[in-house]
Amino acid sequence: NIASVKVVGTPDPVVQEQVVALVKTEERFFDEKAIISYVKDHLADFKVPRYVFRVEDFEMTKTGKVNVKAARELARKLVLEREEKNE
């Protein structure tokens, strides 16, 4: 059960920006590859996220919208952590 998703870009030295999906769900584990596969089947290649991360919640603005700046920073941090882990 996916409650909501925020897709943001994170800096990338080769292609300038990578697509990252932040998924808010109550499920403890979810299939990142299945999400990427689904998106590949329904959207153009450049819209497919390179990374998908589960988040507990999104930081919201005073008007009740997802704080995009905070989401981008969180995505950047999660990408760096994963890349360091995979080295």
Side-chain angles (χ1 to χ4, degrees), residues 12 15 18-21 32 36 48-52 82-83:
D12 185 89
V15 294
Q18 285 294 335
V19 178
V20 178
E32 177 180 343
I36 291 172
V48 176
R50 181 170 179 189
Y51 302 98
V52 177
R82 180 167 298 169
E83 287 178 352

Side-chain angles (χ1 to χ4, degrees), residues 7 12-14 27-28 32 40 58 74-75 83:
V7 178
D12 185 89
V14 177
E27 303 295 323
R28 187 84 175 125
E32 177 180 343
K40 279 184 180 180
F58 293 110
L74 175 60
E83 287 178 352

Side-chain angles (χ1 to χ4, degrees), residues 1-65:
N1 293 343
I2 294 176
S4 60
V5 176
K6 183 65 180 173
V7 178
V8 295
T10 59
D12 185 89
V14 177
V15 294
Q16 292 186 331
E17 199 169 58
Q18 285 294 335
V19 178
V20 178
L22 301 173
V23 179
K24 179 182 173 184
T25 179
E26 292 182 16
E27 303 295 323
R28 187 84 175 125
F29 300 100
F30 65 100
D31 190 346
E32 177 180 343
K33 291 180 182 178
I35 292 172
I36 291 172
S37 178
Y38 178 85
V39 174
K40 279 184 180 180
D41 290 344
H42 292 86
L43 296 176
D45 288 343
F46 72 92
K47 294 181 179 182
V48 176
R50 181 170 179 189
Y51 302 98
V52 177
F53 297 104
R54 179 188 174 277
V55 296
E56 294 285 328
D57 212 351
F58 293 110
E59 185 176 320
M60 306 300 276
T61 65
K62 292 179 184 178
T63 59
K65 296 181 181 179

